[in-house]
């Protein structure tokens, strides 16, 4: 088949007219019969091989979408027969699971224990010597006792591990039930990643895992972390020129729409998983030490057994040597030597503590059972041993200590504070504000957002996005905003997504008259510091003097003291001649509004923090939020005490090593912290003060770069130091209390 292309839809680069690109690809008949023009293997070779030439030949992303019988804007047609045909041709988005190991495999693994092997050898020798010396059954008592002890240990261990493996197989299935946002028949909706099919249009944002192999359709500032596949820590820029997205990678920055091309075992991640065999469980630290002790005891016992045998046998051998009968041995002589050997074996048997493995196994099984009853998910049996060593818990705030269900309850617009915790108050606010202020406010909220307002299949409005974005969009709609209408008034030219370093997100809008306007939203004190103007009560733009700036900062502090999460919204008219290739300015903005968002404390947290403190475990809050908000929540949770210290990340960074030695033990709250600040705090607690640190986080996508960094750093610590634990919240577990719903992972 020959294609003559004038433009390259995949890369937006111009191809000289008349250039012919030839392909030997022939569409299989079964694919044609199903209504498609490209097979799964061809799609896989394009994305996995980053084959731009093949992509060009097939007409770029738009051409691939057409051959998959889908629309890059409206997504798939959800007719049942169409979906079934698609599934039959391209497969489902599931990986082949390894077979469940049988009970006898766990029995065999339990038998590999070094201590048990030594005991088994001792049991065999004891049986042989005992039966030879004293006959059956009297001589077999000691040996059979050891055998019974070995069997008891083996079957208790195997039963515990087998039940645990079944429980965690179910848990892993639940864990993999990730919801993604897709567009089907023009409607945005959430579906399980298992339901994805080639041709689906998926919306990805910061922190999302790429659920299948696919192609970039459109987006802004997209950086993909491919370290899970390639091992390279440097993020990859994905855009029209490099549109390839691989399953199992993560969105580090930006957002995009992606066309799914390959699913399941045909993806690169699926092929990688197929080559990996399931590894056995590692021994727990206590079991490792026990094996070492058993080996040492066995060696010492063997040494003294040999010495004893030599000393006892020396008399008999000397007597026979003096009698000249060294080469002549009678049955009585052989029995005497066997008796000496039996004494030596007895020393070895007595030296090896056969009850110790049983005691350890029973205690681990009992601890795991107790924790499971408390709804604590034991990811690794070693956690049962080591969790009691934790002396410090460094906890995130949003979604961990709080419920992560947010609503806007207060605003400061045009310099006046208003409560908007009811629809009536919101309507009243809209009527009191100047028209141009409402227009600018809605433009800022509806364009500078990572969320979206869509019409679901029931014909009702549905807000998609993080809890923070959802709260702000709900507020905008409550004052009469129309998401689609406001979006249609302007065109988004550039997006700088939120990240943990800047603590703000910006968007550049192309206006109808050809000019540009930038909108900024983020941490209140940071965005306000970038403003040199504000909108006054009349709706006029007024210079922001020191007095007004002080008043607005006081309002931010007031909101924060009420445990409200604050965000500041601002905009800037761009100068004539501004190019979208330039970075958006850091200063010169006009403050539109400050909003206060309520995020209630999770029930049971205060009581659980008190229990931790009474047990000698220090709970510290480490968050990216405003320091006053963090302090208010910390006091409500019982974390911040009168003699405790609350500090901001930038101040923490500037401290010298000597100052940190004094400060770190007193720190109970760290606000406006970056992932590096958190790592530094944990490192000092662990190395300088010999603390065993547990790190908690909710794992949500609200400020996901922060959460991913938290968990990644904690896993790095846990992976290299034996005394470090990783505690991570699992939302699917009934949250009966702060402490007992932690999933323990080493």
């Amino acid at each position: 088949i020959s294609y003559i292309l004038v433009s390259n839809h995949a890369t937006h680069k111009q191809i000289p007219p008349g250039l012919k690109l030839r392909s030997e690809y022939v569409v299989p008949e079964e694919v044609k019969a199903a209504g498609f023009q490209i097979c799964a293997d061809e799609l896989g070779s394009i994305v996995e091989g980053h084959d731009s030439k093949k992509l060009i030949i097939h007409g770029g992303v738009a051409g691939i979408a057409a051959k998959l019988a889908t629309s890059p804007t409206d997504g798939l047609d959800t007719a049942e027969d169409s979906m079934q045909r698609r599934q039959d041709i391209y497969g489902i988005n599931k990986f082949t699971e390894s077979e469940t190991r049988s009970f006898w495999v766990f029995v065999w693994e339990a038998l590999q224990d070094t201590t048990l092997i030594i005991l088994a050898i001792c049991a065999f020798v004891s049986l042989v010597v005992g039966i030879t010396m004293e006959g059956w059954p009297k001589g077999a008592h000691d040996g059979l006792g050891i055998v019974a002890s070995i069997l008891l240990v083996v079957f208790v261990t195997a039963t515990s591990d087998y039940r645990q493996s079944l429980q965690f197989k179910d848990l892993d299935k639940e864990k993999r039930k990730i919801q993604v946002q897709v567009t089907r028949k023009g409607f945005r909706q959430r579906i399980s990643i298992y339901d994805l099919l080639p041709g689906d249009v998926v919306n990805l944002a910061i922190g999302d895992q790429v659920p299948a192999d696919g192609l970039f359709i459109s987006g802004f500032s997209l950086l993909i972390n491919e370290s899970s596949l390639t091992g390279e820590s440097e993020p990859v820029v994905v855009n029209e020129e490099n549109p390839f997205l691989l399953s199992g990678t993560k969105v580090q920055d930006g957002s995009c729409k992606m066309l799914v091309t390959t699913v399941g075992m045909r993806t690169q991640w699926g092929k990688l998983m197929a080559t990996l065999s399931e590894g056995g469980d590692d021994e727990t630290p206590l079991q490792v030490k026990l094996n070492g002790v058993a080996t040492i005891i066995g060696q010492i016992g063997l040494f003294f057994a040999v010495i004893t045998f030599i000393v006892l046998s020396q008399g008999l051998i000397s007597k026979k040597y003096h009698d000249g009968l060294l080469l002549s041995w009678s049955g009585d002589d052989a029995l005497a030597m066997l008796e000496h050997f039996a004494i030596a074996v007895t020393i070895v048997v007595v030296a090896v503590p056969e009850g110790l493995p049983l005691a350890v196994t029973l205690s681990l099984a009992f601890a795991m059972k107790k924790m499971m009853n408390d709804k604590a998910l034991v990811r690794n049996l070693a956690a049962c041993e080591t969790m009691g060593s934790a002396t410090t818990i460094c906890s995130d705030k949003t979604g961990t200590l709080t419920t992560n269900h947010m609503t806007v309850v207060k605003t400061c617009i045009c310099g006046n504070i208003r409560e908007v915790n009811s629809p009536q108050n919101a309507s009243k606010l809209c009527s009191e504000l100047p028209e141009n202020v409402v227009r600018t406010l809605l433009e800022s909220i509806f364009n500078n957002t990572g969320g979206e307002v869509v019409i679901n299949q029931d014909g009702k409005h549905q807000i998609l996005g993080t809890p923070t974005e959802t709260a702000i969009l709900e507020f905008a709609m409550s004052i009469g905003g129309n998401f689609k209408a406001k979006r249609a008034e302007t065109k988004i030219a550039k997006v700088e997504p939120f990240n943990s370093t800047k603590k703000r997100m910006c968007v550049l809008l192309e206006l109808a008259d050809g000019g540009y306007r930038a909108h900024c939203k983020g941490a209140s004190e940071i965005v306000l510091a970038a403003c040199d103007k504000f909108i006054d009560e009349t709706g006029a733009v007024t210079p922001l003097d020191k007095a007004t700036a002080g008043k607005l900062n006081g309002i931010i502090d007031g909101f924060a003291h009420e445990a409200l999460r604050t965000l500041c919204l601002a905009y800037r008219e761009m100068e004539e001649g501004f190019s979208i290739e330039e970075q958006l300015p850091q200063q010169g903005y006009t403050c539109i509004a400050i909003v206060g968002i309520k995020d209630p404390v999770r029930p049971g947290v205060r009581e659980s923090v008190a229990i931790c403190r009474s047990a000698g475990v220090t709970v510290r809050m480490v968050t990216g939020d405003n320091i006053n908000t963090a302090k208010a929540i910390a006091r409500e949770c019982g974390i911040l005490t009168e003699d405790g210290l609350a500090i901001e990340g930038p101040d923490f960074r500037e401290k010298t090593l000597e100052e940190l030695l004094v400060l770190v033990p007193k720190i109970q709250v760290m606000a406006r912290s970056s992932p590096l600040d958190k790592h530094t705090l944990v490192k000092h607690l662990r190395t300088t003060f010999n603390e065993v640190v547990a790190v908690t986080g909710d794992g949500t996508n609200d400020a996901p770069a922060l959460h991913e960094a938290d968990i990644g750093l904690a896993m790095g610590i846990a992976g290299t130091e034996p005394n470090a634990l990783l505690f991570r919240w699992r939302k699917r577990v009934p949250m009966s209390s702060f402490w007992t719903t932690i999933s323990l992972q080493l």
Side-chain angles (χ1 to χ4, degrees), residues 333-596:
D333 294 336
L335 284 174
M337 289 293 290
L338 192 57
E339 185 175 350
H340 298 161
F341 182 70
I343 293 170
V345 169
T346 302
I347 291 173
V348 175
V349 171
V350 171
V352 178
E354 66 270 19
L356 195 53
L358 177 61
V360 171
T361 302
L362 289 175
S363 67
L364 284 176
F366 177 75
M368 187 186 80
K369 185 70 175 175
K370 286 279 289 180
M371 291 172 68
M372 295 295 275
N373 289 340
D374 286 337
K375 300 184 179 68
L377 305 180
V378 186
R379 181 60 184 171
N380 193 307
L381 265 184
C384 298
E385 295 174 9
T386 51
M387 68 171 291
S389 301
T391 56
T392 292
I393 298 174
C394 290
S395 174
D396 184 33
K397 177 181 74 67
T398 305
T400 306
L401 300 173
T402 61
T403 61
N404 210 16
H405 181 74
M406 302 187 186
T407 52
V408 176
V409 294
K410 273 191 174 182
T411 65
C412 172
I413 306 174
C414 297
N416 296 320
I417 299 174
R418 294 173 174 84
E419 296 211 2
V420 288
N421 51 4
S422 69
Q424 295 79 10
N425 288 345
S427 299
K428 185 179 177 183
L429 170 66
C430 183
S431 63
E432 291 175 351
L433 292 174
E435 185 180 342
N436 67 309
V437 176
V438 175
R439 186 170 59 250
T440 305
L441 177 63
L442 293 177
E443 182 180 87
S444 178
I445 292 175
F446 285 143
N447 286 286
N448 191 19
T449 179
E452 190 169 354
V453 182
V454 299
I455 305 295
N456 61 24
Q457 291 175 312
D458 298 328
K460 297 179 180 179
H461 284 96
Q462 181 182 1
I463 300 176
L464 303 173
T466 65
T468 303
E469 297 286 8
T470 300
I472 298 175
L473 289 171
E474 279 180 345
F475 164 66
M477 293 176 69
S478 71
I479 60 174
N482 185 311
F483 182 83
K484 281 199 170 182
K486 188 57 68 174
R487 276 285 184 99
E489 292 176 5
T490 55
K491 178 185 175 183
I492 297 177
K494 186 175 185 178
V495 175
E496 290 185 359
F498 176 89
N499 65 46
S500 58
T501 304
K502 297 181 296 184
K503 297 194 182 299
R504 66 181 191 177
M505 67 179 295
C506 299
V507 63
L508 182 68
L509 302 181
E510 185 177 338
L511 306 178
D513 61 6
Y516 291 101
R517 182 180 297 141
H519 284 278
C520 182
K521 175 183 71 180
S524 296
E525 63 273 23
I526 293 174
V527 175
L528 186 60
C531 295
D532 57 13
K533 295 178 285 293
F534 79 106
I535 302 176
D536 65 14
E537 293 181 3
T538 65
V541 175
T542 308
L544 184 63
D545 54 28
K546 285 189 177 180
T548 307
K551 177 186 173 183
L552 293 176
N553 276 308
I555 290 170
I556 293 170
D557 291 342
F559 283 7
H561 281 114
E562 295 177 40
L564 300 182
R565 187 175 193 178
T566 64
L567 291 176
C568 183
L569 285 72
Y571 78 98
R572 171 175 169 164
E573 301 289 353
M574 305 308 295
E575 300 82 4
E576 190 175 342
F578 177 81
S579 170
I580 61 172
E581 302 300 325
E582 300 176 36
Q583 286 287 328
L584 293 181
Q586 302 293 314
Q587 301 290 328
Y589 288 87
T590 300
C591 178
I592 306 169
I594 296 165
V595 296

Side-chain angles (χ1 to χ4, degrees), residues 169-233:
K169 198 168 186 69
D170 293 337
L171 177 63
D172 286 337
K173 284 182 181 177
E174 285 295 315
K175 187 173 66 176
R176 287 196 291 266
K177 286 182 180 177
I178 300 169
Q179 298 285 312
V180 293
Q181 292 185 23
V182 301
T183 302
R184 287 183 173 179
K185 293 187 73 174
F187 294 104
R188 281 277 289 273
Q189 54 191 278
R190 289 182 180 275
I191 65 169
S192 167
I193 59 168
Y194 295 144
D195 297 329
L196 281 179
L197 291 170
D200 263 320
V201 176
V202 180
N203 296 271
L204 297 175
I206 298 178
D208 288 347
Q209 179 172 309
V210 179
D213 286 359
L215 296 168
F216 175 92
I217 298 174
S218 62
F220 301 96
S221 309
L222 189 64
L223 290 179
I224 298 293
N225 184 340
E226 295 187 350
S227 59
S228 57
L229 285 177
T230 65
E232 295 292 334
S233 58

Side-chain angles (χ1 to χ4, degrees), residues 261-282:
T261 57
T262 321
V263 294
M265 296 305 293
R266 287 191 172 98
T267 65
Q268 189 164 352
W269 182 257
K271 292 174 182 177
L272 176 64
M273 296 299 290
T275 63
L276 301 177
S277 59
E278 184 180 355
D281 293 333
D282 294 332

